[in-house]
Amino acid sequence: MSSTLRNRVSVVVAAAIAGSQLAHGQPYSFIVTGACDDNVHLDGKFFVKMGNTLGGSPWYKATGAEQYVYYDPDCGGSGDGTARWVFDKDRPNMTRATDLDGDGQCEYYARFDSVVKSEPPESGTWTMNCDYKWVEKFLVFMEATSTTATSTTITAGTTGVTTTLAATTAPKAAVAPKLLALSGACDYKSNLNGLTFELQGTTAEGEPYYKSNDMKYYIYHDADCDGSGSAPRWVLDGDRPSALAASDLDGDHKCNYFAQLDDATSPAGPATWRMYCGSQLGWQDVKLTLSEVNKTSTSAKTADSMMVLSSAAGHGSVWVAIAATIFVGAM
């Protein structure tokens, strides 16, 4: 290596608990397999992150079906319930801290008792309602990270069960960039330049939406921004989009925002947006760039990275991840 360069080595060591939580943080989409015959409708389904509950845990919805995965600290609302992840047919209520489906009882497809509320288990033994009896079933959550979920064989080592996942197309949020950096705004909105927008989940139509790191701006797709038949578009807005509305996602009954992008499948990359540039210039065609960035490091160049995974026998797996990253910078 040249003497004009210096290395900064950062080593991060992370250990996950037994039960094997998803290794890369909250997944945006996953496929489920391992359900009993009574709940075979859950197998192979894509569950996409829709947002966070009042308690801060992610919640997921199956694409094309009213099936949900979420964390409930007390599913009966009695005050002394056991915290757990649940598969449910009812959508969780974002204003409730417990008994998220509001039925006053613990009624669902399956449960996984856990004190870890940040993400569902990657694999583990769930208690599932099968033919009116509660039985233990080993479920596997396979994170969807590409446009196609390749046919894969997964062996649940503690049970000896092998399941094959069929190839199928992943939903848009599974392949959407997780973090975007904005540049190119006109002088009137120059405060937008340099902001990063993080993927928050999906709207009712299945499109990803983003929130800026200063919490003031959102980027989302609106099929009809005023609810009266307007053309679909991506918008840069100051209002949070509804995750439930199919159109007019900010609920103002008009197309009011800072910028729009028509006829695009994604907001990412360079594109010509129509942006409001103040009272003198009005609406202008502006070439904005939304560049995908690495969330773990947006300023340093990564020269090398290594991940070492080791597992220990027992109930589930204990994963230890050691990430060594060498950052190269000029002296």
Side-chain angles (χ1 to χ4, degrees):
M1 184 174 293
S2 170
S3 61
T4 61
L5 300 178
R6 69 172 180 231
N7 294 339
R8 287 187 297 153
V9 180
S10 173
V11 178
V12 179
V13 178
I17 65 168
S20 185
Q21 295 300 117
L22 283 157
H24 303 293
Q26 296 178 2
Y28 286 92
S29 177
F30 55 78
I31 310 165
V32 177
T33 185
C36 60
D37 289 344
D38 278 7
N39 291 306
V40 71
H41 54 88
L42 298 175
D43 274 352
K45 281 284 178 64
F46 280 110
F47 284 80
V48 179
K49 182 181 176 183
M50 302 300 291
N52 292 326
T53 62
L54 185 63
S57 300
W59 64 283
Y60 303 85
K61 181 183 182 299
T63 56
E66 295 299 314
Q67 295 160 356
Y68 303 89
V69 175
Y70 59 89
Y71 187 79
D72 201 325
D74 180 4
C75 56
S78 62
D80 58 358
T82 301
R84 59 194 54 168
W85 288 94
V86 299
F87 274 98
D88 200 353
K89 62 181 176 57
D90 298 317
R91 179 187 290 263
N93 188 324
M94 297 302 99
T95 66
R96 299 182 67 93
T98 61
D99 185 19
L100 270 62
D101 62 359
D103 63 358
Q105 54 189 326
C106 295
E107 185 176 329
Y108 35 67
Y109 298 121
R111 71 173 185 266
F112 182 89
D113 295 348
S114 176
V115 296
V116 179
K117 69 176 188 176
S118 59
E119 58 197 27
E122 183 183 58
S123 62
T125 302
W126 289 64
T127 302
M128 179 169 278
N129 190 341
C130 301
D131 195 22
Y132 302 102
K133 294 183 294 185
W134 291 101
V135 300
E136 292 185 345
K137 299 296 294 183
F138 191 87
L139 301 185
V140 175
F141 287 25
M142 178 180 170
E143 186 172 1
T145 57
S146 63
T147 55
T148 302
T150 306
S151 180
T152 306
T153 300
I154 300 174
T155 301
T158 56
T159 65
V161 176
T162 301
T163 303
T164 300
L165 301 179
T168 182
T169 301
K172 296 175 182 177
V175 296
K178 302 301 185 289
L179 198 66
L180 296 170
L182 188 148
S183 62
C186 58
D187 290 344
Y188 182 74
K189 295 302 293 182
S190 60
N191 62 307
L192 293 169
N193 292 323
L195 289 182
T196 55
F197 289 77
E198 185 170 6
L199 182 63
Q200 299 297 300
T202 57
T203 60
E205 62 175 331
E207 296 285 1
Y209 75 95
Y210 298 82
K211 180 173 68 176
S212 65
N213 59 324
D214 67 354
M215 309 295 184
K216 295 180 180 179
Y217 302 99
Y218 297 87
I219 295 173
Y220 58 89
H221 188 268
D222 202 326
D224 179 4
C225 55
D226 57 6
S228 62
S230 296
R233 66 198 67 180
W234 291 93
V235 299
L236 173 58
D237 200 354
D239 297 319
R240 184 185 185 94
S242 168
L244 304 179
S247 62
D248 186 20
L249 270 61
D250 61 359
D252 63 358
H253 306 297
K254 52 188 176 182
C255 297
N256 187 22
Y257 39 70
F258 301 114
Q260 71 180 67
L261 174 63
D262 301 329
D263 301 323
T265 58
S266 168
T272 301
W273 290 64
R274 193 71 175 165
M275 173 173 272
Y276 184 71
C277 296
S279 57
Q280 289 187 341
L281 295 177
W283 289 91
Q284 297 287 318
D285 289 335
V286 176
K287 188 172 182 179
L288 295 184
T289 299
L290 286 159
S291 305
E292 185 173 3
V293 293
N294 185 342
K295 185 176 180 180
T296 59
S297 174
T298 60
S299 59
K301 294 182 179 179
T302 302
D304 187 36
S305 64
M306 176 179 66
M307 182 73 73
V308 179
L309 297 178
S310 64
S311 60
H315 297 289
S317 299
V318 178
W319 294 93
V320 178
I322 301 175
T325 305
I326 302 174
F327 295 105
V328 180
M331 292 186 67

